[in-house]
């Protein structure tokens, strides 16, 4: 029988997420930050450091969202490649992308040093190695584009210090890695020391712009000079910028390997759904390190519940290249938001709400992108110029063949997901087919029903219609959640919101069955 808990990352094994008292009643602040992941906590810290009164509101716990599910690569080697970015955003855009991600790596290190945060921050090199379908010309093309952006990569004959023959690889210097939850815990300490307030278990359901912004939910209301929405998919707008980004699920496994048997570094192959690799300390076990391997990405809620297959593929891929990794103790997954033009969205609310700002669209580089969000939005709120503003502007309209095709592809897919409303069957024939601790969508007359059987055998039924824009959710057994295939909303087994943009829970249907 499977557990109804979500998967657990290596960071969650070493550091529990912080909880604080929920907010009740009215409060005032200079800035209200919604979301206590890397983007929200960096924003709160930098604003508090600048003397602003800050309140952070978080639905769960500090780092309980996608920051807790990351692999915590710190990279200025771009997820979608410099030669692609240059084709869409030009040399200037590519240069700013590199400079901003590199500045984020430096910022995390500087904050950790200044605040005495022991978060296993270290500088490492990164390497792209070729998928067999690619030739060395690919690495040379990327090297040249990266150098035009200001990076300093070089092609090497093979990756040093790894137990497989990588063949030619592209080396990037001055990257980094850290323990994301240790870092957030230190940021939370610093925010509170600087006079900021953090309230967890506080679910924001409304953000209203104006001369004074109003942020509210059940039983509380905050009046602030500005609000920054850092909830991964933004929760305050039904439409913008959701049509310009799409949710993908990525998978991770971790195994203990002898300490020193693999060189510390960040490693990626060049598959479309690429593999990504790093090491991390195994706390309390100095003889070993964690080998962390991710990949197998696919569009969220677009497959039957195949998480065991994806994790199994990762383990097989890892054993082939890292034979010292035999016993995989941890498996987890996360959600990545992919922008149609390959660059995230940071800045003033695209819906025009006065004094409201957002950070979203991490594109596989959530730790550096979230830090960029904190740096850029702090400058915008404080009225300081920042040359990154135009590239990351959430209102931008990027006209290039690649970005337009990606935009069309993702939005056609959303339209196709709406056809799942048709009464053509569900993922199970009836609730009798659903095992304890599992869920499935079933067809009942003209309606799709999200049916969950709890560990005691009780059956709970909800509408399978996402409360954001009406797509049909699908059960995710890896995370024990109902996931929307369109814009990233996720719901707990009994329908409560886990991740926006949805605000309200899945609609409960009358009656529960034993």
């Amino acid at each position: 029988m499977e557990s109804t808990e979500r998967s657990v990352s290596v960071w969650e094994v070493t550091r529990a997420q912080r909880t604080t008292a929920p907010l009740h009643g009215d409060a005032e602040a200079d800035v209200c930050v919604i979301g206590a992941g890397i983007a929200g906590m960096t924003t709160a810290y930098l604003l508090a450091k600048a003397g602003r009164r800050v309140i952070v509101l978080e639905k769960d716990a500090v780092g309980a969202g996608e920051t807790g599910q990351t692999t915590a690569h710190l990279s200025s080697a771009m997820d979608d490649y410099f030669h692609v970015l240059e084709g869409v955003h030009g040399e200037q855009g590519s240069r700013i992308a590199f400079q901003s991600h590199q500045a984020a790596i430096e910022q995390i290190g500087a904050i950790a040093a200044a605040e005495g945060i022991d978060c296993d921050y270290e500088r490492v090199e990164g390497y792209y190695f070729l998928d067999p379908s690619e030739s060395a010309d690919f690495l040379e093309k990327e090297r040249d584009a990266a150098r035009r952006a200001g990076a300093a990569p070089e092609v090497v004959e093979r990756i040093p210090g790894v137990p497989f023959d990588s063949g030619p690889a592209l080396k990037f210097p001055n990257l980094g890695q850290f323990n994301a939850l240790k870092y957030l815990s230190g940021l939370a300490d610093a925010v509170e020391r600087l006079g900021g307030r953090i309230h967890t278990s506080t679910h924001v359901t409304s953000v209203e712009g104006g001369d004074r912004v109003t942020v509210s939910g059940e039983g509380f209301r905050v009046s602030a000079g500005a609000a920054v929405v850092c909830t991964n998919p933004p929760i305050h707008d039904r439409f913008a910028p959701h049509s310009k980004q799409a949710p993908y699920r990525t998978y991770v496994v971790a195994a203990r390997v002898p300490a020193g048997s693999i060189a510390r570094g960040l490693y990626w192959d060049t598959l479309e759904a690429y593999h990504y690799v790093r090491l991390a300390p195994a706390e309390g076990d100095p003889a070993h390190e964690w080998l962390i391997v991710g990949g197998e990405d696919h569009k969220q809620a677009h497959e039957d519940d195949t998480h065991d297959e994806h994790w199994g593929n990762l383990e097989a891929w890892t054993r082939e290249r890292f034979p010292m990794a035999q016993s995989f103790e941890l498996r987890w997954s996360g959600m990545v938001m992919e922008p149609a033009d390959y660059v995230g969205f940071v800045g003033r609310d695209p819906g025009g709400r006065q004094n409201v700002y957002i950070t979203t669209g991490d594109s596989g580089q959530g730790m550096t992108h979230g830090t960029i969000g904190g740096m850029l939005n702090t400058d915008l709120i404080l009225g300081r110029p920042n040359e990154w503003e135009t590239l990351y502007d959430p209102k931008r309209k990027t006209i290039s063949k690649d970005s337009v095709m990606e935009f069309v592809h993702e939005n056609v897919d959303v339209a196709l997901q709406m056809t799942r409303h048709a009464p053509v069957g569900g993922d199970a024939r009836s609730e009798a087919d659903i095992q304890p601790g599992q869920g499935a969508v079933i067809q009942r007359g003209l309606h799709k029903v999200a049916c969950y059987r709890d560990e005691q055998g009780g059956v709970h039924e909800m509408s399978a219609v996402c409360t954001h824009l009406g797509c049909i959710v699908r059960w995710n057994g890896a995370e024990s959640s109902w996931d929307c295939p369109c814009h990233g909303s996720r719901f707990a087994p009994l329908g409560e919101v886990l991740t926006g943009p949805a605000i309200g829970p899945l609609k409960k249907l009358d009656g529960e069955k034993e």
Side-chain angles (χ1 to χ4, degrees):
M1 184 181 299
E2 292 192 29
S3 168
T4 56
E5 297 297 321
R6 79 171 195 176
S7 63
V8 177
S9 73
V10 67
W11 323 120
E12 292 168 318
V13 168
T14 59
R15 179 62 59 99
Q17 286 105 332
R18 174 184 299 207
T19 59
T20 63
L23 178 61
H24 299 289
D26 293 346
E28 289 195 358
D30 295 325
V31 183
C32 180
V33 177
I34 303 108
I38 186 76
M41 292 308 299
T42 304
T43 304
Y45 171 79
L46 293 175
L47 286 165
K49 193 77 173 171
R52 299 303 188 266
R53 295 176 303 140
V54 177
I55 291 179
V56 180
L57 305 180
E58 164 57 47
K59 182 176 65 61
D60 264 307
V62 176
E66 296 308 318
T67 299
Q69 303 297 92
T70 182
T71 55
H73 288 53
L74 299 176
S75 178
S76 56
M78 301 308 295
D79 176 85
D80 291 298
Y81 302 116
F82 284 105
H83 67 268
V84 175
L85 286 179
E86 186 178 280
V88 175
H89 296 280
E91 284 191 29
Q92 173 75 351
S94 182
R95 180 183 65 81
I96 290 174
F98 166 71
Q99 288 181 347
S100 56
H101 281 273
Q102 191 63 42
I105 298 172
E106 309 291 344
Q107 178 75 282
I108 291 169
I111 292 172
E115 299 296 339
I117 303 173
D118 180 9
C119 59
D120 304 323
Y121 175 88
E122 63 179 303
R123 304 305 290 269
V124 295
E125 295 172 338
Y127 294 86
Y128 286 139
F129 59 99
L130 287 172
D131 171 66
S133 66
E134 300 278 7
S135 71
D137 292 345
F138 180 91
L139 297 180
E140 293 169 0
K141 178 170 67 172
E142 179 63 5
R143 175 198 62 195
D144 294 345
R147 287 179 174 176
R148 288 192 293 272
E154 60 178 304
V155 175
V156 297
E157 291 186 3
R158 72 182 303 276
I159 300 173
V162 298
F164 67 97
D165 185 1
S166 66
L170 187 61
K171 181 179 79 172
F172 285 85
N174 299 320
L175 309 186
Q177 61 181 36
F178 72 153
N179 182 314
L181 291 187
K182 287 183 177 181
Y183 180 68
L184 284 198
S185 180
L187 282 183
D189 287 340
V191 167
E192 291 179 333
R193 177 179 54 77
L194 293 166
R197 296 166 55 183
I198 302 170
H199 295 281
T200 62
S201 300
T202 302
H203 186 192
V204 171
T205 58
S206 175
V207 180
E208 301 175 15
D211 289 337
R212 295 286 295 176
V213 173
T214 301
V215 178
S216 59
E218 185 175 355
F220 70 88
R221 176 181 176 275
V222 176
S223 174
V228 188
V229 181
C230 302
T231 54
N232 205 6
I235 51 91
H236 70 297
D237 193 305
R238 289 177 65 81
F239 301 106
H242 307 297
S243 64
K244 298 194 289 186
Q245 61 181 1
Y248 282 74
R249 186 139 294 273
T250 189
Y251 298 84
V252 189
V253 296
R256 292 177 197 261
V257 297
S261 61
I262 303 168
R264 292 282 181 94
L266 307 181
Y267 308 107
W268 308 268
D269 66 17
T270 57
L271 282 168
E272 176 67 21
Y274 60 84
H275 297 91
Y276 47 99
V277 182
R278 63 160 290 189
L279 292 112
E283 292 205 1
D285 183 8
H288 292 88
E289 297 175 288
W290 289 110
L291 175 64
I292 301 168
V293 180
E296 292 283 311
D297 297 14
H298 64 80
K299 189 82 178 287
Q300 176 164 286
H302 277 57
E303 298 183 353
D304 293 332
D305 203 6
T306 56
H307 55 282
D308 281 329
E309 177 183 336
H310 290 297
W311 281 323
N313 290 343
L314 284 176
E315 291 173 2
W317 184 93
T318 303
R319 287 191 182 100
E320 182 178 341
R321 290 158 181 81
F322 301 93
M324 63 281 289
Q326 292 300 316
S327 177
F328 291 85
E329 299 177 41
L330 295 171
R331 291 173 157 187
W332 70 95
S333 75
M335 185 177 73
V336 176
M337 299 304 298
E338 290 287 353
D341 67 356
Y342 316 114
V343 169
F345 303 104
V346 178
R348 295 178 176 84
D349 175 53
R353 292 169 180 81
Q354 185 181 0
N355 292 317
V356 176
Y357 303 80
I358 70 168
T359 296
T360 188
D362 50 52
S363 190
Q365 293 179 268
M367 298 301 96
T368 47
H369 183 260
T371 303
I372 290 166
M375 297 165 73
L376 177 52
N377 278 327
T378 293
D379 282 348
L380 295 177
I381 289 169
L382 298 180
R384 299 190 301 222
N386 189 314
E387 69 169 340
W388 306 346
E389 179 179 0
T390 299
L391 177 66
Y392 290 103
D393 186 355
K395 296 188 293 295
R396 68 179 183 269
K397 293 179 174 61
T398 306
I399 307 299
S400 75
K401 180 180 178 181
D402 286 346
S403 64
V404 169
M405 291 298 293
E406 187 70 15
F407 175 84
V408 170
H409 168 76
E410 296 293 3
N411 283 281
V412 166
D413 178 71
V414 169
L416 289 173
Q417 292 302 315
M418 292 297 185
T419 66
R420 292 186 65 212
H421 282 271
V424 291
D427 301 324
R429 288 174 297 177
S430 73
E431 61 268 18
D433 296 328
I434 302 172
Q435 296 299 309
Q438 297 298 302
V441 173
I442 62 175
Q443 186 75 44
R444 183 166 296 145
L446 297 177
H447 303 289
K448 292 288 197 301
V449 176
C451 184
Y452 172 71
R453 185 181 296 278
D454 63 33
E455 300 286 2
Q456 289 72 44
V459 174
H460 308 265
E461 295 185 348
M462 300 144 284
S463 169
V465 178
C466 177
T467 55
H468 174 224
L469 289 178
C471 291
I472 300 298
V473 299
R474 178 169 273 166
W475 178 252
N476 175 355
E479 302 301 327
S480 296
S481 62
W482 300 103
D483 294 358
C484 177
C486 295
H487 303 112
S489 297
R490 298 178 57 244
F491 304 85
L494 301 186
E496 302 93 338
V497 174
L498 294 174
T499 302
I503 294 294
L506 296 177
K507 180 182 178 182
K508 292 188 182 297
L509 302 180
D510 292 338
E512 295 184 353
K513 303 179 181 180
E514 299 294 334

